[in-house]
Short mmCIF file of all heavy atoms in Angstrom, two decimals:
data_model
loop_
_atom_site.label_atom_id
_atom_site.label_comp_id
_atom_site.label_asym_id
_atom_site.label_seq_id
_atom_site.Cartn_x
_atom_site.Cartn_y
_atom_site.Cartn_z
N ALA A 758 -1.26 28.45 54.57
CA ALA A 758 -0.59 28.13 53.30
C ALA A 758 -1.37 28.70 52.13
O ALA A 758 -2.60 28.73 52.12
CB ALA A 758 -0.45 26.62 53.16
N ASP A 759 -0.62 29.16 51.11
CA ASP A 759 -1.23 29.66 49.88
C ASP A 759 -1.31 28.59 48.80
O ASP A 759 -2.07 28.71 47.84
CB ASP A 759 -0.43 30.84 49.32
CG ASP A 759 -0.31 31.98 50.31
OD1 ASP A 759 -1.33 32.29 50.96
OD2 ASP A 759 0.79 32.55 50.44
N ALA A 760 -0.49 27.55 48.93
CA ALA A 760 -0.44 26.48 47.93
C ALA A 760 0.20 25.25 48.56
O ALA A 760 0.78 25.32 49.66
CB ALA A 760 0.34 26.92 46.69
N LEU A 761 0.10 24.13 47.85
CA LEU A 761 0.72 22.87 48.29
C LEU A 761 1.73 22.44 47.24
O LEU A 761 1.43 22.47 46.04
CB LEU A 761 -0.35 21.79 48.46
CG LEU A 761 0.17 20.36 48.68
CD1 LEU A 761 0.77 20.23 50.08
CD2 LEU A 761 -0.96 19.34 48.50
N PHE A 762 2.92 22.03 47.68
CA PHE A 762 3.91 21.48 46.76
C PHE A 762 4.19 20.04 47.12
O PHE A 762 4.48 19.71 48.28
CB PHE A 762 5.22 22.28 46.82
CG PHE A 762 6.32 21.66 46.00
CD1 PHE A 762 6.16 21.41 44.64
CD2 PHE A 762 7.53 21.30 46.60
CE1 PHE A 762 7.17 20.82 43.89
CE2 PHE A 762 8.56 20.72 45.85
CZ PHE A 762 8.38 20.48 44.49
N ILE A 763 4.12 19.15 46.10
CA ILE A 763 4.43 17.73 46.26
C ILE A 763 5.77 17.49 45.59
O ILE A 763 5.90 17.59 44.37
CB ILE A 763 3.34 16.85 45.63
CG1 ILE A 763 1.97 17.22 46.19
CG2 ILE A 763 3.64 15.38 45.88
CD1 ILE A 763 0.80 16.52 45.49
N SER A 764 6.78 17.18 46.37
CA SER A 764 8.15 17.07 45.86
C SER A 764 8.45 15.67 45.34
O SER A 764 7.73 14.70 45.63
CB SER A 764 9.14 17.45 46.96
OG SER A 764 10.44 17.52 46.44
N CYS A 765 9.54 15.57 44.56
CA CYS A 765 10.13 14.36 44.00
C CYS A 765 9.50 13.99 42.66
O CYS A 765 8.29 13.72 42.58
CB CYS A 765 10.04 13.16 44.95
SG CYS A 765 11.03 11.76 44.36
N THR A 766 10.34 13.97 41.63
CA THR A 766 9.85 13.62 40.29
C THR A 766 9.52 12.14 40.16
O THR A 766 8.90 11.73 39.18
CB THR A 766 10.90 13.98 39.23
OG1 THR A 766 12.15 13.34 39.55
CG2 THR A 766 11.10 15.48 39.14
N ASN A 767 9.90 11.33 41.13
CA ASN A 767 9.60 9.90 41.09
C ASN A 767 8.34 9.55 41.87
O ASN A 767 8.03 8.36 42.06
CB ASN A 767 10.78 9.08 41.63
CG ASN A 767 11.07 7.84 40.78
OD1 ASN A 767 10.55 7.71 39.67
ND2 ASN A 767 11.91 6.94 41.28
N LEU A 768 7.60 10.58 42.32
CA LEU A 768 6.36 10.37 43.08
C LEU A 768 5.17 10.69 42.16
O LEU A 768 5.04 11.81 41.67
CB LEU A 768 6.33 11.27 44.31
CG LEU A 768 5.13 11.09 45.26
CD1 LEU A 768 5.19 9.71 45.92
CD2 LEU A 768 5.14 12.19 46.32
N PRO A 769 4.27 9.72 41.91
CA PRO A 769 3.14 9.97 41.00
C PRO A 769 2.20 11.04 41.56
O PRO A 769 1.81 11.00 42.73
CB PRO A 769 2.42 8.61 40.94
CG PRO A 769 3.44 7.61 41.40
CD PRO A 769 4.29 8.33 42.39
N THR A 770 1.82 11.99 40.69
CA THR A 770 0.97 13.10 41.16
C THR A 770 -0.07 13.57 40.14
O THR A 770 -0.97 14.33 40.50
CB THR A 770 1.84 14.32 41.52
OG1 THR A 770 2.60 14.71 40.38
CG2 THR A 770 2.77 14.01 42.67
N TYR A 771 0.06 13.19 38.89
CA TYR A 771 -0.76 13.82 37.84
C TYR A 771 -2.26 13.81 38.18
O TYR A 771 -2.94 14.83 38.08
CB TYR A 771 -0.54 13.11 36.49
CG TYR A 771 -1.25 13.77 35.33
CD1 TYR A 771 -0.62 14.73 34.56
CD2 TYR A 771 -2.56 13.42 35.01
CE1 TYR A 771 -1.26 15.34 33.49
CE2 TYR A 771 -3.21 14.03 33.95
CZ TYR A 771 -2.56 14.98 33.19
OH TYR A 771 -3.22 15.58 32.15
N ASP A 772 -2.78 12.67 38.58
CA ASP A 772 -4.23 12.55 38.79
C ASP A 772 -4.70 13.09 40.13
O ASP A 772 -5.91 13.35 40.30
CB ASP A 772 -4.65 11.08 38.66
CG ASP A 772 -4.45 10.55 37.25
OD1 ASP A 772 -4.99 11.15 36.31
OD2 ASP A 772 -3.72 9.55 37.08
N VAL A 773 -3.80 13.27 41.10
CA VAL A 773 -4.25 13.77 42.40
C VAL A 773 -4.31 15.30 42.44
O VAL A 773 -4.96 15.86 43.31
CB VAL A 773 -3.36 13.26 43.55
CG1 VAL A 773 -3.36 11.75 43.62
CG2 VAL A 773 -1.95 13.80 43.44
N ILE A 774 -3.64 15.96 41.51
CA ILE A 774 -3.59 17.43 41.56
C ILE A 774 -4.99 18.04 41.50
O ILE A 774 -5.35 18.84 42.37
CB ILE A 774 -2.67 17.98 40.46
CG1 ILE A 774 -1.22 17.61 40.76
CG2 ILE A 774 -2.81 19.50 40.35
CD1 ILE A 774 -0.24 17.98 39.65
N PRO A 775 -5.82 17.72 40.50
CA PRO A 775 -7.15 18.35 40.47
C PRO A 775 -8.01 17.97 41.67
O PRO A 775 -8.80 18.78 42.16
CB PRO A 775 -7.76 17.85 39.16
CG PRO A 775 -6.95 16.68 38.74
CD PRO A 775 -5.59 16.89 39.30
N GLN A 776 -7.85 16.73 42.17
CA GLN A 776 -8.64 16.31 43.33
C GLN A 776 -8.26 17.11 44.56
O GLN A 776 -9.13 17.58 45.32
CB GLN A 776 -8.40 14.81 43.59
CG GLN A 776 -8.82 13.91 42.45
CD GLN A 776 -10.32 13.93 42.21
OE1 GLN A 776 -11.10 14.08 43.15
NE2 GLN A 776 -10.73 13.80 40.97
N LEU A 777 -6.97 17.30 44.78
CA LEU A 777 -6.53 18.05 45.94
C LEU A 777 -6.87 19.54 45.82
O LEU A 777 -7.23 20.17 46.81
CB LEU A 777 -5.01 17.88 46.13
CG LEU A 777 -4.57 16.52 46.70
CD1 LEU A 777 -3.05 16.40 46.67
CD2 LEU A 777 -5.09 16.35 48.13
N GLU A 778 -6.75 20.09 44.64
CA GLU A 778 -7.12 21.50 44.47
C GLU A 778 -8.59 21.72 44.81
O GLU A 778 -8.95 22.72 45.44
CB GLU A 778 -6.82 21.95 43.04
CG GLU A 778 -5.33 22.12 42.78
CD GLU A 778 -5.05 22.84 41.47
OE1 GLU A 778 -5.97 22.98 40.64
OE2 GLU A 778 -3.88 23.25 41.27
N ALA A 779 -9.45 20.79 44.39
CA ALA A 779 -10.88 20.92 44.69
C ALA A 779 -11.15 20.77 46.19
O ALA A 779 -11.97 21.48 46.76
CB ALA A 779 -11.67 19.88 43.90
N GLU A 780 -10.45 19.86 46.83
CA GLU A 780 -10.67 19.61 48.25
C GLU A 780 -10.06 20.69 49.14
O GLU A 780 -10.70 21.15 50.10
CB GLU A 780 -10.09 18.25 48.64
CG GLU A 780 -10.23 17.92 50.12
CD GLU A 780 -9.64 16.58 50.47
OE1 GLU A 780 -9.60 15.68 49.60
OE2 GLU A 780 -9.20 16.41 51.64
N LEU A 781 -8.86 21.13 48.82
CA LEU A 781 -8.14 22.07 49.68
C LEU A 781 -8.43 23.53 49.33
O LEU A 781 -8.14 24.42 50.13
CB LEU A 781 -6.63 21.81 49.58
CG LEU A 781 -6.17 20.38 49.93
CD1 LEU A 781 -4.67 20.24 49.71
CD2 LEU A 781 -6.55 20.04 51.37
N GLY A 782 -8.94 23.77 48.16
CA GLY A 782 -9.24 25.15 47.76
C GLY A 782 -8.01 26.01 47.55
O GLY A 782 -8.03 27.21 47.85
N MET A 783 -6.93 25.41 47.04
CA MET A 783 -5.69 26.16 46.78
C MET A 783 -4.96 25.51 45.61
O MET A 783 -5.21 24.34 45.29
CB MET A 783 -4.80 26.16 48.02
CG MET A 783 -4.30 24.80 48.44
SD MET A 783 -3.15 24.86 49.85
CE MET A 783 -4.22 25.53 51.13
N PRO A 784 -4.03 26.24 44.99
CA PRO A 784 -3.22 25.62 43.93
C PRO A 784 -2.37 24.48 44.49
O PRO A 784 -1.85 24.56 45.60
CB PRO A 784 -2.35 26.77 43.42
CG PRO A 784 -3.06 28.02 43.84
CD PRO A 784 -3.74 27.68 45.12
N VAL A 785 -2.23 23.43 43.69
CA VAL A 785 -1.37 22.30 44.04
C VAL A 785 -0.39 22.12 42.89
O VAL A 785 -0.78 21.99 41.73
CB VAL A 785 -2.19 21.01 44.25
CG1 VAL A 785 -1.27 19.82 44.48
CG2 VAL A 785 -3.15 21.19 45.42
N VAL A 786 0.90 22.14 43.22
CA VAL A 786 1.93 21.94 42.20
C VAL A 786 2.80 20.76 42.61
O VAL A 786 2.96 20.47 43.80
CB VAL A 786 2.79 23.21 42.00
CG1 VAL A 786 1.97 24.32 41.39
CG2 VAL A 786 3.41 23.67 43.31
N SER A 787 3.33 20.06 41.58
CA SER A 787 4.18 18.91 41.86
C SER A 787 5.47 19.03 41.07
O SER A 787 5.58 19.85 40.14
CB SER A 787 3.45 17.61 41.49
OG SER A 787 3.41 17.44 40.08
N ALA A 788 6.44 18.20 41.42
CA ALA A 788 7.77 18.28 40.80
C ALA A 788 7.71 18.04 39.29
O ALA A 788 8.27 18.82 38.51
CB ALA A 788 8.70 17.25 41.47
N ASN A 789 7.04 16.99 38.87
CA ASN A 789 6.96 16.72 37.43
C ASN A 789 6.16 17.79 36.70
O ASN A 789 6.49 18.17 35.57
CB ASN A 789 6.35 15.34 37.19
CG ASN A 789 7.36 14.22 37.42
OD1 ASN A 789 8.56 14.42 37.29
ND2 ASN A 789 6.87 13.04 37.79
N GLN A 790 5.11 18.26 37.33
CA GLN A 790 4.27 19.29 36.69
C GLN A 790 5.06 20.57 36.43
O GLN A 790 5.05 21.10 35.31
CB GLN A 790 3.06 19.59 37.58
CG GLN A 790 2.12 20.63 37.00
CD GLN A 790 1.34 21.33 38.10
OE1 GLN A 790 1.91 21.74 39.12
NE2 GLN A 790 0.03 21.47 37.91
N VAL A 791 5.75 21.08 37.44
CA VAL A 791 6.48 22.34 37.25
C VAL A 791 7.63 22.18 36.26
O VAL A 791 7.97 23.11 35.51
CB VAL A 791 6.98 22.92 38.59
CG1 VAL A 791 5.81 23.26 39.50
CG2 VAL A 791 7.98 22.00 39.28
#
Side-chain angles (χ1 to χ4, degrees):
D759 302 317
L761 170 71
F762 174 57
I763 305 173
S764 188
C765 190
T766 55
N767 223 12
L768 184 66
T770 58
Y771 185 92
D772 295 304
V773 300
I774 292 174
Q776 299 295 327
L777 285 173
E778 287 192 346
E780 178 180 332
L781 303 177
M783 64 176 63
V785 174
V786 293
S787 74
N789 282 334
Q790 181 205 46
V791 297

